[in-house]
Amino acid sequence: QNNLKINGITWLIIVFFSLQWMLPVCHEIEEAAHEEIVLKHHLKRSLNGPGRIIYLAQRLRKYVLPLFTTGATLVLLLTNELSFQNIILNFLAISFILEADNVIAALFLSDEQKRMMQSAANDADGELSGAVRMAFFITRAQGFLCMFALILSINIAEKVVTNCEGFLFFLLHLIGF
């Protein structure tokens, strides 16, 4: 029934809000890249086990989280009625969840802790500045890739998925399982 409601205006709204949705995705990837560089700088020549676990978490945040975000957005859009209100609210909900870690950090970290984090980032500033230029391009490319995957998945989902079991297979196939 949703494919009957997708017209030119609906696609325009989906594309517009996909671009808006892409910004928090890119921001999250960028943050993970910067934190990874700072962590690498402070873990040089060290066999710090917990630091390596955090490094792995940053890698997951940088490469896997955008895919899961795309899948979650796709599920929200395809399982609800495609009204303008639902499209806007679903994109807004995912964007809100992506920014939640920054809001929590702003609420619970003291000024001293924020200064300490800034100091750690400043120590790695030389390595960070060169990587920022490359990270800018890569994060935008990842964001656009997620956006195109989302739009393409919405477009082909109605043709590929004929029942609920098919939808699960479709989603697992999208993320590579």
Side-chain angles (χ1 to χ4, degrees), residues 52-174:
R52 299 293 174 200
I53 293 171
I54 293 172
Y55 179 77
L56 176 64
Q58 293 300 342
R59 285 293 184 149
L60 291 173
R61 185 174 160 206
K62 193 165 133 180
Y63 296 113
V64 177
L65 184 65
L67 295 176
F68 283 173
T69 303
T70 304
T73 306
L74 180 66
V75 167
L76 281 176
L77 290 174
L78 292 180
T79 57
N80 290 318
E81 180 184 344
L82 276 179
S83 66
F84 296 143
Q85 180 181 8
N86 283 345
I87 292 170
I88 292 168
L89 289 175
N90 288 333
F91 276 115
L92 185 63
I94 295 293
S95 298
F96 175 77
I97 290 170
L98 280 173
E99 291 297 322
D101 63 335
N102 296 333
V103 172
I104 290 170
L107 286 173
F108 292 111
L109 291 179
S110 68
D111 289 337
E112 178 60 33
Q113 290 169 324
K114 291 176 189 175
R115 277 193 294 276
M116 189 172 59
M117 288 186 338
Q118 187 61 43
S119 173
N122 290 342
D123 287 347
D125 197 29
E127 295 172 29
L128 194 59
S129 63
V132 166
R133 280 178 254 132
M134 189 59 160
F136 178 82
F137 172 74
I138 292 171
T139 58
R140 296 316 180 267
Q142 278 182 288
F144 275 111
L145 181 67
C146 289
M147 185 188 85
F148 289 133
L150 178 69
I151 291 171
L152 183 66
S153 298
I154 291 170
N155 191 27
I156 65 171
E158 293 290 333
K159 299 172 186 99
V160 174
V161 178
T162 56
N163 59 30
C164 290
E165 291 83 25
F167 183 62
L168 177 62
F169 177 74
F170 175 72
L171 289 176
L172 291 174
H173 182 69
L174 276 179

